Amino acid sequence: MTDPCLLVSLLATAKNDCPTPPAQFVQQQFERTRLTETPLQNTLSLPSLEIAPPEFSPLETPSLRDLRFLEPKSPFDNVEPTREPSIIPLSELSPKQPAPDELAYYPRTNNRPKSGTQMFEQRLAALQAGKTYTRLAVDSFIKAWKNASEKPTYQDWKYLLRQEAKAISKGQGANQLNILLGDSLSLWFPSERLPGSRLWLNQGISGDNTSGILERTDTLKQTRPHSIYLMAGINDLRQGQTDADILWNLRGIVRRLRQNHPQTRIILQSILPTRFPAIPNHRIRNLNKQLAKIAAEEAVSYLDLQPYFTDERGNLRRELTTDGLHLNPRGYAVWQWALQQTESWIASNEIP
């Protein structure tokens, strides 16, 4: 298996190939903000992860209608804790990019929220106690969420995330802040696996699409992030949106983030593959090619995760997913590894 390349670069603005805007967004105008830092021309090459190929079996074939109502699953649902965590061995890295020889991917405790309802109540309890939930033990405030049953609405989640952003903007101090912005894939990123050199704010909402994320970018306006990691688009595909809609919205999100945070590094991440024929992976690959172009044109960074999550047939690797769409602990360990390498690369290329 050849070593894929993780492209993380800031490129000079090129010809704008923005797709023809959908009718509902014709009135929207996004002004391009000037890049305030020197563009970086470096690229970071990472080795492939040594993951044993899965045993292939026929893919599940739900209809697109069924996929629209596919409930996100906790990566830790039905996962038993182990005394010694399982590992993903990594091939040797470049001396310039030192990293551990292996990454643990199974949890040591199973006493954590396993539903969106439980996670919502845990985060709400942390907020009310004046705590940053991404820095808490995974079993914190268990009395507040263990028996939670009332499912929060999309508006509830928007309110919670807005309050968390407001709190972090007041309590950040001199700490550097990173933000995850996206849908359930970002929402369920295990807090204890986020690179620990910075504060983290998770702004993922299950089921959110690019239109919803574009609408709520101003929630972050008062924050002072060092980096914002954006991943979105898979729910648009589930909901039957066109490629033009998705690309238009993502470009709009990127521009809005750059306008609101001119000193922040915006990192546009590729859309992950799935195991559902109703969402063809060749379409996702084409979208990712366009996202790489958008990143270059908008002078932001592009993080290509696709090679690390794709099997020999072009599908999401079976051993990295809970249901063919959402990630399990091993999937998040792969993503964690990529974020760690990206953070290391960013740190070594910071402008003094």
Side-chain angles (χ1 to χ4, degrees), residues 151-180:
K151 187 175 181 179
T153 66
Y154 179 69
Q155 294 303 321
D156 291 334
W157 274 106
K158 286 176 64 176
Y159 173 80
L160 176 65
L161 267 56
R162 184 165 59 250
Q163 294 305 311
E164 288 179 343
K166 183 178 179 180
I168 205 76
S169 68
K170 293 181 177 180
Q172 179 179 345
N175 295 294
Q176 289 191 327
L177 172 69
N178 282 358
I179 297 175
L180 286 180

Side-chain angles (χ1 to χ4, degrees), residues 64 67-68 207-210 234-241:
L64 190 57
L67 284 176
R68 291 179 62 185
D208 211 357
N209 55 27
T210 56
I234 197 65
N235 286 316
D236 298 73
L237 292 169
R238 293 169 59 184
Q239 295 160 6
Q241 298 298 318

Side-chain angles (χ1 to χ4, degrees), residues 37-113:
E37 54 185 336
T38 305
L40 300 175
Q41 302 298 329
N42 308 66
T43 59
L44 171 63
S45 297
L46 299 179
S48 59
L49 289 173
E50 298 295 333
I51 304 175
E55 295 182 4
F56 295 109
S57 59
L59 297 179
E60 300 177 30
T61 56
S63 67
L64 190 57
R65 176 181 176 84
D66 294 331
L67 284 176
R68 291 179 62 185
F69 303 101
L70 182 65
E71 288 290 333
K73 293 185 178 181
S74 162
F76 301 100
D77 193 22
N78 297 321
V79 174
E80 294 298 327
T82 57
R83 290 186 178 180
E84 295 298 327
S86 301
I87 58 173
I88 296 177
L90 301 180
S91 53
E92 186 177 355
L93 296 176
S94 163
K96 295 182 179 180
Q97 298 293 337
D101 293 331
E102 55 193 31
L103 291 174
Y105 66 83
Y106 279 126
R108 295 178 182 274
T109 176
N110 214 18
N111 204 15
R112 63 170 72 221

Side-chain angles (χ1 to χ4, degrees), residues 122 125-127 131-141 191-192:
Q122 182 188 52
L127 184 65
K131 304 292 185 180
T132 303
Y133 89 95
T134 53
R135 290 207 158 186
L136 297 176
V138 297
D139 58 354
S140 297
F141 300 102
S191 295
E192 72 272 22

